[in-house]
Amino acid sequence: MFNLKSTLFLNLTKNQKSSLLSFLKAFSKKHREKPAEEILALFIEDETYYYNQGAPHFEWIIDEFEKDEFQKQLVIYIVECKKQLELKDAQKPLIEKQKALMKEQRKRARDFKLSKEPPTKKQLYYYDKLCKKYKIEKENTDSSSRLELMKMIERIVNEHKDTEIIPEKPAE
């Protein structure tokens, strides 16, 4: 795609080329189910409509539409944009798997780090309050890690989640 960008639209300025290519990419994405020639026809139609209304996206483009070489370059770029979209769609499942794997690795790294640290005062206080609230016998937490205490708290909360009564909001 990079080599293609450097060989197309050589007569345009850097800003004109950049804005045209980004707009064409978004336009191609919007009309991805249509063939490239139809996308080009829609693009030309839209641009002439906006030009006639006095609010063109690109003021200089109307004169360029008459040139066959310019239209050929537009079709080439639209086809390339469609290929990039297809490639991105094909890679989507792989990217999702990679994200899930990275999430799992971050969780393991966090658990490993927490297993080496002593519990915080807040954790100990919260564990004590939960045990008193649900009348549970406290386990010895002297040699526990942050991870172990976190799991103990999570277990207590999950066991008593159904018995917790949430007060209703008073009527106003």
Side-chain angles (χ1 to χ4, degrees):
M1 183 88 149
F2 178 75
N3 291 336
L4 185 66
K5 286 181 182 179
S6 63
T7 60
L8 295 176
F9 310 112
L10 298 176
N11 58 335
L12 301 179
T13 66
K14 187 173 90 172
N15 290 340
Q16 287 175 334
K17 185 176 179 178
S18 174
S19 61
L20 176 64
L21 294 181
S22 65
F23 187 82
L24 269 176
K25 188 173 185 178
F27 197 80
S28 298
K29 187 175 183 180
K30 183 178 174 183
H31 301 288
R32 67 171 41 180
E33 70 283 345
K34 297 177 181 170
E37 291 77 19
E38 193 174 328
I39 293 174
L40 176 63
L42 285 172
F43 176 67
I44 292 172
E45 184 182 319
D46 279 1
E47 288 306 310
T48 53
Y49 171 77
Y50 286 118
Y51 182 77
N52 292 336
Q53 294 297 318
H57 294 112
F58 313 105
E59 295 176 2
W60 49 268
I61 204 165
I62 298 300
D63 298 331
E64 297 290 326
F65 284 147
E66 298 170 1
K67 300 176 184 173
D68 288 337
E69 184 62 31
F70 185 75
Q71 288 187 8
K72 287 179 186 174
Q73 291 177 358
L74 286 173
V75 169
I76 291 170
Y77 188 71
I78 290 170
V79 167
E80 186 63 28
C81 287
K82 287 177 62 92
K83 285 181 186 175
Q84 291 293 327
L85 288 170
E86 290 171 7
L87 181 64
K88 191 174 180 180
D89 289 343
Q91 291 177 342
K92 201 170 199 166
L94 179 65
I95 292 171
E96 293 300 321
K97 286 181 185 176
Q98 196 173 21
K99 283 182 183 179
L101 178 65
M102 294 302 290
K103 186 176 180 180
E104 183 65 30
Q105 286 177 342
R106 285 192 301 272
K107 185 175 187 270
R108 278 193 217 135
R110 184 199 66 170
D111 287 351
F112 179 76
K113 180 182 174 189
L114 292 179
S115 70
K116 301 296 180 193
E117 296 177 355
T120 63
K121 290 180 182 179
K122 285 184 179 181
Q123 274 184 315
L124 293 169
Y125 178 77
Y126 187 57
Y127 177 71
D128 288 342
K129 288 295 183 184
L130 282 176
C131 289
K132 286 179 185 175
K133 180 179 180 180
Y134 296 117
K135 297 176 179 87
I136 300 171
E137 188 176 324
K138 287 193 244 180
E139 297 177 22
N140 186 7
T141 58
D142 295 337
S143 62
S144 297
S145 66
R146 279 181 72 177
L147 178 66
E148 291 168 348
L149 201 59
M150 184 177 78
K151 287 182 179 179
M152 290 165 45
I153 291 171
E154 188 176 306
R155 183 175 35 84
I156 293 171
V157 169
N158 286 338
E159 286 175 1
H160 297 284
K161 185 185 338 181
D162 297 332
T163 61
E164 187 73 25
I165 299 173
I166 301 172
E168 290 185 27
K169 204 174 192 180
E172 293 179 15

